[in-house]
Amino acid sequence: MHLIVINPNTTASMTRLIGESARAVAAPGTTVTAVNPDMGPASIESHYDEALSVPGLLAEIARAQAGEQAADGFVIACFGDPGLDAARELAHGPVVGVAEAAMHAASFLGRGFSVVTTLGRTAGRAWDLAERYGMTRFCRNVRACEIPVLALEDPESDAFAAIVAESRRAVADDGAEAIVLGCAGMADLAARMTEAVGVPVIDGVAAATKTVEGLVAMGLRTSDRAEFAPPLPKTYIGLLSDFEVVKPDIC
Amino acid sequence: MHLIVINPNTTASMTRLIGESARAVAAPGTTVTAVNPDMGPASIESHYDEALSVPGLLAEIARAQAGEQAADGFVIACFGDPGLDAARELAHGPVVGVAEAAMHAASFLGRGFSVVTTLGRTAGRAWDLAERYGMTRFCRNVRACEIPVLALEDPESDAFAAIVAESRRAVADDGAEAIVLGCAGMADLAARMTEAVGVPVIDGVAAATKTVEGLVAMGLRTSDRAEFAPPLPKTYIGLLSDFEVVKPDIC
Amino acid sequence: MHLIVINPNTTASMTRLIGESARAVAAPGTTVTAVNPDMGPASIESHYDEALSVPGLLAEIARAQAGEQAADGFVIACFGDPGLDAARELAHGPVVGVAEAAMHAASFLGRGFSVVTTLGRTAGRAWDLAERYGMTRFCRNVRACEIPVLALEDPESDAFAAIVAESRRAVADDGAEAIVLGCAGMADLAARMTEAVGVPVIDGVAAATKTVEGLVAMGLRTSDRAEFAPPLPKTYIGLLSDFEVVKPDIC
Amino acid sequence: MHLIVINPNTTASMTRLIGESARAVAAPGTTVTAVNPDMGPASIESHYDEALSVPGLLAEIARAQAGEQAADGFVIACFGDPGLDAARELAHGPVVGVAEAAMHAASFLGRGFSVVTTLGRTAGRAWDLAERYGMTRFCRNVRACEIPVLALEDPESDAFAAIVAESRRAVADDGAEAIVLGCAGMADLAARMTEAVGVPVIDGVAAATKTVEGLVAMGLRTSDRAEFAPPLPKTYIGLLSDFEVVKPDIC
Amino acid sequence: MHLIVINPNTTASMTRLIGESARAVAAPGTTVTAVNPDMGPASIESHYDEALSVPGLLAEIARAQAGEQAADGFVIACFGDPGLDAARELAHGPVVGVAEAAMHAASFLGRGFSVVTTLGRTAGRAWDLAERYGMTRFCRNVRACEIPVLALEDPESDAFAAIVAESRRAVADDGAEAIVLGCAGMADLAARMTEAVGVPVIDGVAAATKTVEGLVAMGLRTSDRAEFAPPLPKTYIGLLSDFEVVKPDIC
Amino acid sequence: MHLIVINPNTTASMTRLIGESARAVAAPGTTVTAVNPDMGPASIESHYDEALSVPGLLAEIARAQAGEQAADGFVIACFGDPGLDAARELAHGPVVGVAEAAMHAASFLGRGFSVVTTLGRTAGRAWDLAERYGMTRFCRNVRACEIPVLALEDPESDAFAAIVAESRRAVADDGAEAIVLGCAGMADLAARMTEAVGVPVIDGVAAATKTVEGLVAMGLRTSDRAEFAPPLPKTYIGLLSDFEVVKPDIC
């Protein structure tokens, strides 16, 4: 089985970290390819960034499907789950977002979780996703450390300590019984954090990888009956003309 | 007051129709400019199309704000309200989507409305928006005529008759007390339809124009306190490098 | 266009203030008449007061409709939106309440608002209205200053300072991105408060005036198909016999 | 224990029927007095009628509390539960509405009930009440027979047959496991209907009588801590000046 | 009328207290028999305990129905309302749980209540029940005193003081207008607590007794139309073979 | 990794089928042991059956944990997910129910699914579970074929045809984009049905197996912080005395 894990921002070092996190949990026989777009923002910290990450993300799906090695399923590895609906129309195999997978996984492990994320301005998006996935009833809080996404990679930063501290507050004040890491860039922290915080800590990259792997193992893919049928062919112009759906490298 | 009404698809004839509908209800002293992007899909009939309409839409906002005549507010004139969150971050004045405005207006006129739209595959998006805006309790049904968006403009098509027939079914079977037109391309039909169907029929282009006009008249604009603060500056690469936020033509 | 703004309590000085606030935002060509009933409570601070404000409110609608100058639409200018359903049955044009309009307007400007109101005992009513209008998801909190309604008019009172202080707490503690003023008697404070608090502050009198004006401009009125059809004729006795629906001065 | 059952309309024959239905289920030692206002509508079939029934209803509570025989609790015997919040502020003992009590009782007897009521235009009010009481999850449907309230009393009418037929459709099509009678004027039908329809049929007058009786037996009354504290004294003018709260015959 | 009040744990002293509380509010002519199972846990403080209390509870219903004196209705006297659905299938008369009855009763007395219970680990169950009964909108909080169930009976314990203190916090911090006692073992505290806390305090044993008594008085019983029809006959083996439904001592 | 799949009824042939379905999707390196209790009902078709399946289910978890080969995770293989909360307290590894896993999986594949189950009387339980898991928004309908659970195994029965027919109705009438099989006894039908119905068909046994396997692979287990901490030690008497928690073969 071949899974494509797409980091929708254009920072290659984060793509490497995400790929390693996915491979660390993949079953024997599962190959993981981690990619990122060649267009768009270096990090995703606003609705604006998120909207502009989607064209590159969709291009990566199209590219993977046009490649030699079949892609059996896709992970969108940014906690805003950008472009998930569009990706499901375009992709031949199942697509799962890391927020989606992490929240679902957390719901199996306790009555409520809190999300611990980077910037407070993204909390609204996390709540929107919780609602969309039916996870509002499990989501106790969305807490921000006010650490920019790219600062997570800085070994000098005190990001780990800040995330642990916020997670402990979530346990004490929100009654959280699990913590969901609110950024794909935190993917390498889950194990250390579970130990530090004393409740299960869920990394969405790992969770989404296992979720897609499970769907593929069961022979399941996105329903193409109505909403998620392939996009209709039509004219695209200007800067985005390569996204025109009639072109065989797209769909 | 100067309002920009953005048709997010690239079909200029639809842009003209939308502009006329907006101007028909604007108050004395309100100027309406209708525009469409120079990149992206000719019509929006899938999540894929919608996602790829957003860069062009955002570019139009940036262009209007860089222009000589101040833009006091913006209307997003596609019933999927694409890019609304991102637009609110970017725009200096208030931004309202046509689905948003139409659903709110309908909620003032009766206990429940049905949306009558083009293709059934877009119904999920309409339900998502109803939820986001708090309008689920008023939305009785989302009904599709299975008419492609661009066919609405074809004088040979029986689009009007089909939309009236579906609206009558909404009144009879859903108990709808009002009808919301589910496509900005239907903007010119509202008055004729109100007469034909016997309940209020709401066109979102008109509703959004009046809503933005009202917000501007009250001196209100999007809160920039947290979620909708301007996008953070950062590197954008590749095809989308012009969207980099540091550039003065963007924000 | 002629709009009637009804202050449902019997305090004429508040009616004057409300009229001025409505006229301050009305478009060129819109005439606003502000009235109050000649029966009922001097202020509305309980469910009891509110219930007993409704007969006088309905009498004002009937009177306006029996008058020489056509009334195109109505605003109910008390934050409890008393008698809104009954008014919609009786009125020939659209009717909007100030809580309704303010909450909707706030929902266009940020993810969440808090209501800042007079007495804590009215908070339940504000929550009920938020639910009815689908605005619960936007309403972060309802906060009371414990200032009686009529004290708002007292220039000696520290009402403005108290309302600003409570609003700042809403921003800091509730994460409110906008403030909704919870009493029509605060209508003159919105602009000063926006400056003092740093987020959009919405006065329902202005918001409802613009909302009704917009509906009238679009040619829309309350659906008379089912729930809001005119009241059925029938016998009324005793003190309220003048409300009998067959009488031409009522409907 | 002395309970006051108030029919909020002014039709004395219906008051007698309601009194008999209440007394039929009252426990030994419980006295029931059935009254109706001396002002207001002969039947309640619109929001307008309902709003105008409330002053008379409140006057009856005040009168009962000013009388020689203490009133231990109150039933509001109209399915719209008019004035319930105001009544709770005014009354010294607990107050329960018939819709409220019937819906709660039905929730103890099966997964879902349907309401069978008189006119379709009142269905919205029934849904509003279901939501307010938390009973939306149990309420499968609100069905109307389109029988005017006062026609229920006409022995020539086929009201019983129509209500049974609609109830059977509720069982077959809604999956209703119980039926709630949607008008206090149907109070005498419950037993015959249970037999005819084959599922529990609940009359709100009986249900509310037992509910208030139970609350009084437990020594419980409306909390006067905040929202339902007695109305504040203030000036009332004009036709409604007798409702001024300082007057001892009111509170 | 003969009501069976079942304490689902096996502690006879608590059964006596519960029986006394039920009898204290029963109407003239109502006989109350309080029983407990002869199998299962001494107290119910976890999902595990609760699940294992159900067989004994069901056996008590079967035993009562096989006895000489008809059982007209049943109360399940543990705040987790264990086995309520199964009991409704098995019992010939209505069945009400103490959490169910207490929450419903509280909803008649104020806008919101808090539950004050024993151990924090049971709070999730209380929230689940609030949701199931439609009472989430009234339930402000579930607060635990961290007192084990059986310690409630210890005259040396400071249970009463702790429960009063927690209830006062509920009033002050949650805005609770009523308190629901979250354990059947607190049944004797309601009257003293109402005095100490200043808002209505509801004991579920009393509330459920009056609720079932009311249903029986109205001739109502669980609908046997679909979900709560009697269990289907089938083979039971091993330790639980006596529960096989064909056996006449069960159903 | 060693997973225990527990069929909570006592029919061994169904246990074999369930075990095969689980093993068919397990990853290399995952061992599946399928077991069933030695006490309780032969099939689970009512709340009564379900309640009485739980002691045996819990005994199987205790037995597995006392065995020589560590159990890393558990599947509860009955669509009512009986005893899930209690099992999470008792089990050392994660526990997932088949309804839970199937509904979550379906939510990744389309906007809405319908459940197709055996007897209509169990539909209420399926809706309860959908709510508990946050899946109500995805669950379009619960449809019953009125086939008894054990008839699924009868090769003479037309069960497959009936389930396909009902599933096709779900697609056509409910707009279901996926089908969830509503009984663990249907576990072998998913692949054939996906082909016959044309939308993804999800078997909960496979879905739960992959879900638990994924959780174990990520090193995640049920949070023991509060609600799902191990049961407290206490006295158990009578028929169920072996369930006393102090005994080392239980926990």
Side-chain angles (χ1 to χ4, degrees), chain A residues 108-134:
Chain A
F108 301 132
L109 301 174
R111 179 166 290 270
F113 61 81
S114 288
V115 175
V116 177
T117 188
T118 52
L119 301 187
R121 65 179 294 161
T122 68
R125 177 69 182 168
W127 280 113
D128 281 349
L129 293 177
E131 180 173 56
R132 171 182 168 164
Y133 304 140

Short mmCIF file of all heavy atoms in Angstrom, two decimals, chain A residues 108-134:
data_model
loop_
_atom_site.label_atom_id
_atom_site.label_comp_id
_atom_site.label_asym_id
_atom_site.label_seq_id
_atom_site.Cartn_x
_atom_site.Cartn_y
_atom_site.Cartn_z
N PHE A 108 -12.05 8.14 21.12
CA PHE A 108 -12.05 6.73 21.56
C PHE A 108 -11.38 6.54 22.91
O PHE A 108 -11.41 5.45 23.46
CB PHE A 108 -11.32 5.86 20.53
CG PHE A 108 -11.88 5.89 19.14
CD1 PHE A 108 -11.05 6.08 18.04
CD2 PHE A 108 -13.24 5.73 18.91
CE1 PHE A 108 -11.56 6.10 16.75
CE2 PHE A 108 -13.76 5.76 17.62
CZ PHE A 108 -12.92 5.95 16.54
N LEU A 109 -10.75 7.58 23.42
CA LEU A 109 -9.85 7.40 24.56
C LEU A 109 -10.31 8.09 25.84
O LEU A 109 -9.70 7.90 26.89
CB LEU A 109 -8.45 7.91 24.20
CG LEU A 109 -7.81 7.24 22.98
CD1 LEU A 109 -6.50 7.94 22.64
CD2 LEU A 109 -7.58 5.76 23.22
N GLY A 110 -11.34 8.89 25.76
CA GLY A 110 -11.80 9.58 26.96
C GLY A 110 -12.99 10.44 26.63
O GLY A 110 -13.36 10.58 25.46
N ARG A 111 -13.60 11.02 27.64
CA ARG A 111 -14.82 11.80 27.41
C ARG A 111 -14.53 13.11 26.69
O ARG A 111 -15.37 13.60 25.94
CB ARG A 111 -15.53 12.06 28.73
CG ARG A 111 -16.79 12.90 28.59
CD ARG A 111 -17.64 12.87 29.82
NE ARG A 111 -18.24 11.56 29.97
CZ ARG A 111 -19.43 11.23 29.46
NH1 ARG A 111 -20.15 12.11 28.81
NH2 ARG A 111 -19.89 10.02 29.61
N GLY A 112 -13.37 13.71 26.94
CA GLY A 112 -13.13 15.01 26.32
C GLY A 112 -11.64 15.26 26.13
O GLY A 112 -10.81 14.78 26.90
N PHE A 113 -11.35 16.02 25.08
CA PHE A 113 -9.96 16.38 24.81
C PHE A 113 -9.88 17.89 24.67
O PHE A 113 -10.87 18.56 24.41
CB PHE A 113 -9.46 15.71 23.53
CG PHE A 113 -10.22 16.08 22.29
CD1 PHE A 113 -9.95 17.28 21.60
CD2 PHE A 113 -11.19 15.24 21.78
CE1 PHE A 113 -10.66 17.62 20.46
CE2 PHE A 113 -11.92 15.58 20.62
CZ PHE A 113 -11.65 16.77 19.97
N SER A 114 -8.68 18.42 24.85
CA SER A 114 -8.41 19.79 24.45
C SER A 114 -7.38 19.78 23.33
O SER A 114 -6.49 18.91 23.30
CB SER A 114 -7.89 20.61 25.63
OG SER A 114 -8.93 20.86 26.56
N VAL A 115 -7.51 20.73 22.44
CA VAL A 115 -6.52 20.93 21.39
C VAL A 115 -5.51 21.95 21.90
O VAL A 115 -5.90 22.98 22.47
CB VAL A 115 -7.18 21.46 20.10
CG1 VAL A 115 -6.14 21.79 19.04
CG2 VAL A 115 -8.21 20.46 19.58
N VAL A 116 -4.23 21.68 21.73
CA VAL A 116 -3.19 22.65 22.06
C VAL A 116 -2.50 23.01 20.75
O VAL A 116 -1.91 22.15 20.09
CB VAL A 116 -2.20 22.09 23.10
CG1 VAL A 116 -1.09 23.10 23.36
CG2 VAL A 116 -2.94 21.77 24.39
N THR A 117 -2.60 24.28 20.40
CA THR A 117 -2.17 24.69 19.07
C THR A 117 -1.17 25.84 19.14
O THR A 117 -0.70 26.21 20.23
CB THR A 117 -3.39 25.05 18.19
OG1 THR A 117 -2.95 25.27 16.86
CG2 THR A 117 -4.09 26.29 18.71
N THR A 118 -0.85 26.39 17.98
CA THR A 118 0.20 27.41 17.88
C THR A 118 -0.37 28.81 18.19
O THR A 118 -0.25 29.29 19.31
CB THR A 118 0.82 27.38 16.47
OG1 THR A 118 -0.25 27.46 15.51
CG2 THR A 118 1.59 26.08 16.24
N LEU A 119 -1.02 29.42 17.20
CA LEU A 119 -1.50 30.79 17.38
C LEU A 119 -3.00 30.82 17.69
O LEU A 119 -3.79 30.10 17.09
CB LEU A 119 -1.25 31.60 16.10
CG LEU A 119 0.20 31.72 15.65
CD1 LEU A 119 0.33 32.68 14.48
CD2 LEU A 119 1.10 32.18 16.80
N GLY A 120 -3.37 31.70 18.60
CA GLY A 120 -4.77 31.83 19.00
C GLY A 120 -5.70 32.18 17.86
O GLY A 120 -6.87 31.81 17.87
N ARG A 121 -5.21 32.85 16.86
CA ARG A 121 -6.09 33.24 15.75
C ARG A 121 -6.56 32.05 14.93
O ARG A 121 -7.49 32.19 14.13
CB ARG A 121 -5.41 34.27 14.86
CG ARG A 121 -4.19 33.75 14.12
CD ARG A 121 -3.59 34.85 13.24
NE ARG A 121 -4.50 35.21 12.16
CZ ARG A 121 -4.44 36.33 11.45
NH1 ARG A 121 -3.51 37.21 11.74
NH2 ARG A 121 -5.28 36.57 10.49
N THR A 122 -5.94 30.88 15.12
CA THR A 122 -6.39 29.70 14.39
C THR A 122 -7.40 28.86 15.19
O THR A 122 -7.88 27.85 14.69
CB THR A 122 -5.20 28.78 14.02
OG1 THR A 122 -4.67 28.23 15.22
CG2 THR A 122 -4.11 29.55 13.28
N ALA A 123 -7.71 29.29 16.40
CA ALA A 123 -8.61 28.49 17.24
C ALA A 123 -9.99 28.37 16.61
O ALA A 123 -10.64 27.32 16.70
CB ALA A 123 -8.70 29.09 18.63
N GLY A 124 -10.45 29.43 15.98
CA GLY A 124 -11.77 29.38 15.35
C GLY A 124 -11.85 28.27 14.30
O GLY A 124 -12.84 27.54 14.22
N ARG A 125 -10.79 28.15 13.52
CA ARG A 125 -10.76 27.08 12.52
C ARG A 125 -10.84 25.70 13.19
O ARG A 125 -11.55 24.81 12.72
CB ARG A 125 -9.48 27.20 11.69
CG ARG A 125 -9.28 26.11 10.66
CD ARG A 125 -10.28 26.20 9.51
NE ARG A 125 -10.09 25.10 8.56
CZ ARG A 125 -10.95 24.80 7.60
NH1 ARG A 125 -12.06 25.50 7.44
NH2 ARG A 125 -10.73 23.80 6.79
N ALA A 126 -10.14 25.52 14.29
CA ALA A 126 -10.19 24.23 14.99
C ALA A 126 -11.61 23.93 15.47
O ALA A 126 -12.10 22.80 15.36
CB ALA A 126 -9.20 24.22 16.15
N TRP A 127 -12.28 24.94 15.98
CA TRP A 127 -13.68 24.74 16.41
C TRP A 127 -14.58 24.42 15.23
O TRP A 127 -15.48 23.56 15.33
CB TRP A 127 -14.19 25.98 17.14
CG TRP A 127 -13.75 26.05 18.58
CD1 TRP A 127 -12.90 26.96 19.14
CD2 TRP A 127 -14.14 25.17 19.64
NE1 TRP A 127 -12.74 26.69 20.47
CE2 TRP A 127 -13.48 25.61 20.81
CE3 TRP A 127 -14.97 24.05 19.72
CZ2 TRP A 127 -13.64 24.97 22.05
CZ3 TRP A 127 -15.13 23.41 20.95
CH2 TRP A 127 -14.47 23.86 22.09
N ASP A 128 -14.36 25.10 14.10
CA ASP A 128 -15.16 24.79 12.91
C ASP A 128 -14.97 23.33 12.51
O ASP A 128 -15.94 22.65 12.15
CB ASP A 128 -14.71 25.68 11.73
CG ASP A 128 -15.28 27.08 11.81
OD1 ASP A 128 -16.19 27.33 12.63
OD2 ASP A 128 -14.83 27.94 11.03
N LEU A 129 -13.74 22.86 12.55
CA LEU A 129 -13.49 21.48 12.16
C LEU A 129 -14.12 20.51 13.16
O LEU A 129 -14.69 19.50 12.77
CB LEU A 129 -11.98 21.23 12.04
CG LEU A 129 -11.30 22.00 10.90
CD1 LEU A 129 -9.79 21.72 10.94
CD2 LEU A 129 -11.87 21.62 9.56
N ALA A 130 -14.00 20.82 14.43
CA ALA A 130 -14.62 19.96 15.45
C ALA A 130 -16.11 19.82 15.15
O ALA A 130 -16.67 18.71 15.21
CB ALA A 130 -14.40 20.53 16.84
N GLU A 131 -16.74 20.93 14.80
CA GLU A 131 -18.17 20.85 14.50
C GLU A 131 -18.42 20.00 13.25
O GLU A 131 -19.28 19.13 13.25
CB GLU A 131 -18.72 22.26 14.29
CG GLU A 131 -20.19 22.24 13.97
CD GLU A 131 -20.78 23.62 13.94
OE1 GLU A 131 -20.29 24.47 13.17
OE2 GLU A 131 -21.74 23.87 14.68
N ARG A 132 -17.67 20.29 12.23
CA ARG A 132 -17.86 19.56 10.99
C ARG A 132 -17.73 18.04 11.17
O ARG A 132 -18.43 17.25 10.54
CB ARG A 132 -16.80 20.04 9.98
CG ARG A 132 -16.78 19.22 8.76
CD ARG A 132 -15.72 19.63 7.79
NE ARG A 132 -15.62 18.58 6.81
CZ ARG A 132 -15.04 18.69 5.66
NH1 ARG A 132 -14.49 19.81 5.31
NH2 ARG A 132 -14.97 17.68 4.83
N TYR A 133 -16.81 17.64 12.01
CA TYR A 133 -16.56 16.20 12.21
C TYR A 133 -17.45 15.60 13.30
O TYR A 133 -17.31 14.42 13.63
CB TYR A 133 -15.09 15.97 12.57
CG TYR A 133 -14.11 16.53 11.56
CD1 TYR A 133 -12.94 17.16 11.96
CD2 TYR A 133 -14.36 16.42 10.19
CE1 TYR A 133 -12.04 17.68 11.03
CE2 TYR A 133 -13.46 16.94 9.26
CZ TYR A 133 -12.32 17.57 9.69
OH TYR A 133 -11.44 18.08 8.76
N GLY A 134 -18.29 16.40 13.90
CA GLY A 134 -19.14 15.87 14.98
C GLY A 134 -18.41 15.77 16.30
O GLY A 134 -18.88 15.12 17.22
#
